[in-house]
Amino acid sequence: MGEITSLRDAIADLAFDGATVALEGFTHLIPVAAGQEIIRQGRRDLTLVRMTPDIVYDQMIGAGCARKLVFSWAGNPGVGSLHRFRDAVQNGWPVPLEIEEHSHAGMANRYVAGAAGLPFAVLRGYVGTDLVAQTPNIKPITCPFTGEVLTAVPALNPDVGIVHAQRADRAGNVQMWGITGVHKEVVLASKRSLVTVEEIVDHLDPRPGAVILPHWAITYVAEVPGGAHPSYAMGYSERDNDYYQAWDAISRDRDAFGDWLTSTVMREVRAILGDQA
Amino acid sequence: MMTIAAARALRDGARCFVGIGRPSTAANLARRTHAPDLVLIYESGTIGAKPGTLPLSIGDGVLAETADTVVSVPEIFNYWLQPGRIDVGFLGAAQIDRYGNINTTVIGDDYRSPRVRLPGAGGAPEIAASCREVIVVVKQSPRAFVERVDFVTSVGYGSGPGDRARLGLTGRGPALVITDLGIMEPDPETAELTLTQVHPGVAPAQATAATGWPLAVAGTLSTTPEPTAAELAALRDLNRQAGP
């Protein structure tokens, strides 16, 4: 547990065709490099789970990895729409994408229930919205104590949960700080997990407000400096806002996206195959 | 004018749940002008953020660095928003109807085969339900201000008076809808959005023409005071820092 390995080997072992995979990171510490490794390894028919599908899920959807998306907000934050996601939903390109849609509060609570080993979570939410009619996983529930009618959503327990963090030590204990979103919840809720980190250090210096995940709660740790780019890792990098802006034009057009895919993510595949030939 | 009018609507000391884009600009403008003690809360979990520059996203590093505390996403929704600890929720909309219901999900009649797929709900349904009141900031046009929204992502007054209580929604609902032409408020009797204020140089007829239902106009219509030099300077400063 908390085994330190390469990104390539971790993804090869964890992600299988048809798996339910959650990559989390709320604007900060998004495991982008891990998502691109899933594209490189050619995984298909994934159920992708993420509160805020943004650039990395747009890339995975455009590359044809996903059969279904479970989410609460799909956009390019601060910029606009996700064009590969829209093309998949509106036109079924490159493959049709089934969607299961929630609110942030609903998704966050689904992870909490998953982490807690409970079958569902209760919240005040969704009432009066049209999401209730479109998402079968939103149900009313009556409080056994007060009789009040609340909302229930089922636990999320992905096959694989992946996050990025600042640091790990050599035993695979992980330390993260800043905006940690649902990092702890998704790792604890998932059957198996991977944390990519900026660096592996001899000793984790205590930091106020840091979240620690002990090595025995994690399947794999991989050192991937810059693995959150274009999002950021507080203390290591800044958010690359220009990349988010540039993605709008790249993703708008199928051919431009295809060129981007072959010239960036898949170039490494050719390099690897070339080495082996 | 829309941003300045939105900033003015925030009273000093209020606890404000801020979305990205115009709401964030307005909230930061308020903090730099009349409301230095405004508490900015972003759904990324940053409580009491005091950004020196405008963030591009709800999770920029500057929000975490300047916050009083940073909490997890489940905590921000469950402990802070859900029990009604937040005074004002600040929302945008792709479509809004005469009862202040908001659509940010799909344009078109068929959810499964939409004409335009929008980003979706995010935090909005629960912000609209649980904040003590909601301010909506949206540019006015007949495409945005529609008789009925194609999809209810966040509930305003539902189908009319009494609906919020019937649904068990704890907050008051949309108190102000601020546009580039003026301000609408719900009629106390009918809950229908009513034009109560126009910005300088705007005729009421412009606002009714830019609305997709027969917009009610208040008997006494006020005019938004002109922006002050201090407000304009603070806004320019914010936009300059935000970059080109």
Side-chain angles (χ1 to χ4, degrees):
Chain A
M1 299 297 259
E3 185 185 333
I4 294 173
T5 185
S6 69
L7 176 60
R8 201 168 133 203
D9 288 349
I11 294 297
D13 185 48
L14 293 173
F16 53 91
D17 287 350
T20 297
V21 179
L23 278 67
E24 281 295 350
F26 209 85
T27 304
H28 180 219
L29 298 173
I30 300 171
V32 177
Q36 294 181 345
E37 182 60 29
I38 290 172
I39 296 176
R40 265 195 291 281
Q41 295 193 14
R43 294 282 71 81
R44 289 290 177 271
D45 296 324
L46 300 177
T47 293
L48 290 178
V49 183
R50 177 162 167 70
M51 291 182 66
T52 52
D54 50 10
I55 286 182
V56 65
Y57 270 34
D58 211 32
Q59 294 169 348
M60 294 171 81
I61 290 164
C65 300
R67 182 186 66 77
K68 181 177 176 183
L69 179 68
V70 182
F71 73 107
S72 41
W73 189 88
N76 184 345
V79 179
S81 293
L82 287 183
H83 301 294
R84 294 298 93 226
F85 159 73
R86 272 174 71 160
D87 204 10
V89 171
Q90 293 174 210
N91 309 311
W93 194 92
V95 288
L97 184 70
E98 189 190 331
I99 58 171
E100 178 184 329
E101 191 166 0
H102 287 270
S103 68
H104 280 350
M107 283 291 283
N109 278 292
R110 296 189 67 192
Y111 282 126
V112 169
L118 291 171
F120 66 90
V122 177
L123 71 155
R124 285 180 208 281
Y126 296 105
V127 177
T129 74
D130 286 342
L131 284 167
V132 180
Q134 299 299 342
T135 306
N137 271 345
I138 302 168
K139 302 261 191 226
I141 186 167
T142 304
C143 171
F145 304 105
T146 64
E148 188 182 358
V149 178
L150 301 159
T151 300
V153 285
L156 267 170
N157 294 104
D159 295 312
V160 189
I162 305 176
V163 297
H164 189 74
Q166 278 96 343
R167 297 199 286 228
D169 65 17
R170 297 192 193 284
N173 298 300
V174 166
Q175 184 189 44
M176 60 188 87
W177 62 86
I179 292 166
T180 54
V182 289
H183 267 47
K184 184 192 276 185
E185 288 76 13
V186 71
V187 168
L188 296 181
S190 298
K191 297 182 182 80
R192 305 179 82 203
S193 60
L194 164 66
V195 183
T196 58
V197 294
E198 288 294 319
E199 64 173 337
I200 292 175
V201 296
D202 291 328
H203 179 70
L204 295 175
D205 300 322
R207 284 188 70 103
V211 172
I212 299 282
L213 284 170
H215 69 91
W216 47 268
I218 303 165
T219 312
Y220 289 119
V221 173
E223 189 177 41
V224 187
H229 179 264
S231 85
Y232 69 105
M234 191 180 227
Y236 288 83
S237 59
E238 298 280 319
R239 192 173 189 269
D240 185 353
N241 288 335
D242 292 344
Y243 185 113
Y244 283 86
Q245 308 270 11
W247 184 251
D248 191 66
I250 294 167
S251 61
R252 201 175 276 274
D253 179 76
R254 289 177 187 174
D255 291 337
F257 171 74
D259 290 345
W260 172 86
L261 198 60
T262 43
S263 66
T264 56
V265 177
M266 300 310 282
R267 191 178 57 192
E268 284 181 45
V269 171
R270 290 202 305 276
I272 292 161
L273 291 175
D275 288 348
Q276 288 168 348
Chain B
M1 194 68 246
M2 177 160 53
T3 307
I4 289 172
R8 286 177 185 165
L10 296 170
R11 101 187 136 66
D12 196 17
R15 302 176 291 255
C16 180
F17 209 102
V18 189
I20 208 63
R22 206 175 294 276
S24 180
T25 310
N28 279 288
L29 178 61
R31 211 173 55 76
R32 280 154 181 251
T33 50
H34 67 281
D37 292 327
L38 188 68
V39 181
L40 305 191
I41 299 167
Y42 289 81
E43 66 191 14
S44 56
T46 56
I47 297 178
K50 294 166 274 293
T53 57
L54 269 188
L56 183 71
S57 80
I58 46 83
D60 279 23
V62 67
L63 299 176
E65 285 156 12
T66 61
D68 295 329
T69 182
V70 182
V71 301
S72 73
V73 167
E75 183 177 327
I76 200 78
F77 285 103
N78 287 347
Y79 293 4
W80 299 94
L81 176 63
Q82 187 166 261
R85 290 184 218 281
I86 317 265
D87 297 314
V88 183
F90 230 146
L91 296 173
Q95 286 183 330
I96 183 166
D97 67 22
R98 67 161 80 200
Y99 292 112
N101 301 299
I102 289 174
N103 174 16
T104 55
T105 303
V106 288
I107 304 291
D109 295 332
D110 185 357
Y111 172 77
R112 295 284 152 195
S113 178
R115 206 142 41 76
V116 181
R117 176 65 231 194
L118 301 165
E126 285 77 24
I127 293 171
S130 297
C131 287
R132 291 190 186 162
E133 62 177 37
V134 171
I135 299 175
V136 187
V137 189
V138 56
K139 208 159 174 272
Q140 207 169 335
S141 77
R143 279 175 61 193
F145 284 73
V146 294
E147 175 77 41
R148 264 182 85 107
V149 289
D150 293 345
F151 191 97
V152 178
T153 312
S154 306
V155 181
Y157 294 99
S159 52
D163 258 19
R164 287 188 71 88
R166 188 177 56 75
L167 293 167
L169 305 178
T170 50
R172 179 188 153 198
L176 298 172
V177 176
I178 299 173
T179 80
D180 51 332
L181 301 178
I183 297 178
M184 299 175 197
E185 294 176 64
D187 181 276
E189 300 290 316
T190 65
E192 186 177 325
L193 292 180
T194 303
L195 186 70
T196 55
Q197 190 169 319
V198 286
H199 297 326
V202 176
Q206 280 174 266
T208 52
T211 305
W213 71 85
L215 176 64
V217 179
T220 50
L221 197 62
S222 57
T223 301
T224 314
E226 293 279 357
T228 65
E231 285 170 332
L232 289 172
L235 185 59
R236 259 198 309 273
D237 195 37
L238 275 174
N239 285 328
R240 184 172 51 74
Q241 287 174 352

